[in-house]
Amino acid sequence: QWNLVCDNDWKGPLSTSLFFVGVLLGSFISGQLSDKFGRKNVLFATLAMQTVFSFIQVFSISWEMFSVLFVMVGMGQISNYVAAFVLGTEILGKSIRVLFCTLGVCIFYAFGYMLLPLFAYFIRDWRMLLLALTLPGLLCIPLWWVIPESPRWLISQGRFQEAEDIIRKAAKTNGITAPDVILDPSELQDVNSQKQQTYTILDLMKTRNILTITIMSVLLWMIISVGYFGLSLDTPNLHGDVYVNCFLSAVIEVPAYVISWLLLRNLPRRYSMAAALFLGGCVLLFIQLVPSHIRALSIFLVMLGKFGITSAFSMVYVYTAELYPTVVRNMGVGASSMASRLGSILSPYFVYLGAYDRFLPYILMGSLTVLSGILTLFLPESYGMPLPDTIDQMLLVKGLEYRPASSSTRDSKEEEENPEIFKSTAF
């Protein structure tokens, strides 16, 4: 469209990197906005932002205009993704929470990914393709009257009556008779006395324990992101039809998400993630040993590597959300997601290195993925544990000196005493 070849070929990967710059900025601000204004408000505001700027992109008159709008689209895209993820995490009970975070969120992401090469195959004009991918955003408007706010967030803001109304509606929808007292007055008084306290990004470094978890999460997300987006963007460079390769790259995500759901449901988080990362990393390192004439085997190994890294990417969202307490959970996931965008910004240039050495991207991505698998083994285990509400309730990283946690266990009491109410929220 704008002569992005020869001396201007650097603008191609830069366009993708600029999108991820927007994702980086969105990750930074979305967590703080969501913790301040609510999960639901930020979710729909950023959905509108993504749809509107994508629509304006269709009418771009220059590469510069397209790229600037791409930054804004990236900001909206990640902000609504993180807000929706945290909202679902906080409003659902344990068993449904894992189902939502893996199959609910991720598998529909994969379905959308599979539709992309299908749309692109039949709609070759990029403006019409972008329009076709943007208009479905309008279908989200009626969901404003369907999706509730997070009761956990409302409680953290001292809006107890609104939280109780949502819980009672969930109980009624599920055919459960709610108890007369859902939120204990003495516990509410405890929370009410602390509700004036505001939390900022600096609270992710407040104690040695949360600082250690934050640093480890940042590194883990960054490395996984390099591998995931690097392999996704590298599909045009594989042998064979570009549309088929892109479709295969999307299809492999479906079993990856199913496996991650089964692992999260039945096995410890640390070992499940580490196994997926070791699989993905080791397979990528082996690609260089495949003879050049066996193209099918190379494609198979790339897809197997994508399988492992995609599984880990799915699990890391759940794992991170379980490690951080309610008061800073959205900021914790947002900060980790922001760090992963540094990796995604670099990922187009990992692919670009393939022009100099075909196997160099796989060697780098494979080595980093194996290192991230080792790092995962040092995180605390959250499997079977209640979600923490305060920083003092966070699980301790092994090797840190033990410090007694707060006596407040409101979250675990709610789910233990009224498990049926939290079983599902089919509003």
Side-chain angles (χ1 to χ4, degrees), residues 239 290-295 298 359:
H239 300 291
V290 177
S292 58
H293 63 278
I294 311 180
R295 297 177 177 179
S298 295
F359 298 111

Side-chain angles (χ1 to χ4, degrees), residues 20-35 74-75 78-79 82 200-202 204-205 330-341:
F20 287 119
V21 167
V23 173
L24 171 64
L25 296 173
S27 300
F28 180 73
I29 64 173
S30 64
Q32 298 179 68
L33 290 176
S34 185
D35 284 333
M75 289 179 64
I78 192 60
S79 297
V82 172
T200 67
I201 198 77
L202 296 178
L204 297 181
M205 300 174 279
N330 215 112
M331 276 189 286
V333 174
S336 300
S337 181
M338 179 186 69
S340 80
R341 303 317 155 192

Side-chain angles (χ1 to χ4, degrees), residues 106-153:
C106 298
I107 211 163
F108 281 94
Y109 175 90
F111 287 156
Y113 190 176
M114 282 187 277
L115 287 174
L116 176 61
L118 183 65
F119 273 57
Y121 183 82
F122 291 103
I123 307 175
R124 299 302 176 97
D125 179 75
W126 70 266
R127 294 182 191 272
M128 291 299 100
L129 174 61
L130 185 56
L131 183 63
L133 299 175
T134 299
L135 291 179
L138 299 176
L139 299 176
C140 296
I141 294 176
L143 296 179
W144 172 265
W145 293 275
V146 178
I147 298 176
E149 182 56 271
S150 164
R152 293 180 186 274
W153 179 81

Side-chain angles (χ1 to χ4, degrees), residues 287-356:
I287 290 176
Q288 59 184 314
L289 304 178
V290 177
S292 58
H293 63 278
I294 311 180
R295 297 177 177 179
L297 180 58
S298 295
I299 294 176
F300 171 77
L301 290 178
V302 170
M303 296 306 165
L304 188 58
K306 178 80 182 295
F307 171 86
I309 293 175
T310 300
S311 297
F313 214 164
S314 172
M315 289 186 278
V316 77
Y317 272 90
V318 180
Y319 198 7
T320 305
E322 291 178 345
L323 291 177
Y324 282 103
T326 301
V327 291
V328 293
R329 181 170 295 118
N330 215 112
M331 276 189 286
V333 174
S336 300
S337 181
M338 179 186 69
S340 80
R341 303 317 155 192
L342 294 174
S344 59
I345 290 170
L346 294 173
S347 61
Y349 294 98
F350 272 71
V351 177
Y352 198 58
L353 290 174
Y356 302 97

Side-chain angles (χ1 to χ4, degrees), residues 213-338:
I213 288 177
T214 298
I215 292 173
M216 295 171 73
S217 295
V218 162
L219 292 174
L220 187 61
W221 280 64
M222 188 184 302
I223 294 172
I224 293 176
S225 183
V226 167
Y228 176 81
F229 287 103
L231 290 176
S232 297
L233 295 172
D234 191 55
T235 49
N237 298 325
L238 297 175
H239 300 291
D241 186 85
V242 61
Y243 297 98
V244 173
N245 289 337
C246 185
F247 180 75
L248 290 175
S249 181
V251 168
I252 198 65
E253 295 197 4
V254 175
Y257 293 136
V258 173
I259 290 295
S260 65
W261 170 62
L262 293 173
L263 291 175
L264 288 172
R265 186 179 178 184
N266 300 296
L267 296 172
R269 312 300 196 224
R270 284 187 304 167
Y271 302 125
S272 299
M273 271 197 60
L277 290 168
F278 284 138
L279 170 65
C282 292
V283 165
L284 293 181
L285 290 174
F286 286 143
I287 290 176
Q288 59 184 314
L289 304 178
V290 177
S292 58
H293 63 278
I294 311 180
R295 297 177 177 179
L297 180 58
S298 295
I299 294 176
F300 171 77
L301 290 178
V302 170
M303 296 306 165
L304 188 58
K306 178 80 182 295
F307 171 86
I309 293 175
T310 300
S311 297
F313 214 164
S314 172
M315 289 186 278
V316 77
Y317 272 90
V318 180
Y319 198 7
T320 305
E322 291 178 345
L323 291 177
Y324 282 103
T326 301
V327 291
V328 293
R329 181 170 295 118
N330 215 112
M331 276 189 286
V333 174
S336 300
S337 181
M338 179 186 69

Side-chain angles (χ1 to χ4, degrees), residues 56 75 136-138 142 168 231 285 302 312 371 377 385 388 392-393:
I56 299 174
M75 289 179 64
L138 299 176
R168 290 191 182 280
L231 290 176
L285 290 174
V302 170
L371 288 175
L377 297 174
M385 304 295 290
D392 288 336
Q393 293 176 8

